[in-house]
Amino acid sequence: VWTPQDRQCVLSTLAQLLLDRDCTVLVGRQLRPLLLDLLERNAEAIKAGGQVNHDLHERLCVSMSKLI
């Protein structure tokens, strides 16, 4: 039985894998129903702490272009 915290941890890990250029297409194909949630998690991570993380932003842009 998975706790809500376990689910959040798995989704956060999958969101990070989505930003890995070697895993983007695989995660996108296999987890299509979860893509919007994973992209939103990454968008929130980019803005964390009130500042924009430019490295994560660039990786998100590359991931989104691969998914399109």
Side-chain angles (χ1 to χ4, degrees), residues 5-27:
Q5 183 180 1
D6 292 338
R7 291 183 193 121
Q8 295 302 318
C9 183
V10 168
L11 289 171
S12 294
T13 301
L14 290 171
Q16 290 174 353
L17 282 173
L18 188 64
L19 295 182
D20 183 344
R21 68 180 67 194
D22 295 330
C23 299
T24 298
V25 175
L26 179 63
V27 171

Side-chain angles (χ1 to χ4, degrees), residues 6-68:
D6 292 338
R7 291 183 193 121
Q8 295 302 318
C9 183
V10 168
L11 289 171
S12 294
T13 301
L14 290 171
Q16 290 174 353
L17 282 173
L18 188 64
L19 295 182
D20 183 344
R21 68 180 67 194
D22 295 330
C23 299
T24 298
V25 175
L26 179 63
V27 171
R29 283 185 186 150
Q30 300 301 318
L31 302 172
R32 186 176 303 188
L34 300 176
L35 266 181
L36 289 177
D37 183 84
L38 299 178
L39 290 169
E40 184 175 348
R41 287 173 187 273
N42 284 322
E44 290 172 3
I46 288 169
K47 299 177 203 173
Q51 294 184 355
V52 174
N53 183 324
H54 295 287
D55 179 52
L56 287 179
H57 183 265
E58 181 179 339
R59 291 171 57 192
L60 178 61
C61 291
V62 170
S63 295
M64 288 177 57
S65 68
K66 284 185 174 189
L67 293 172
I68 291 173

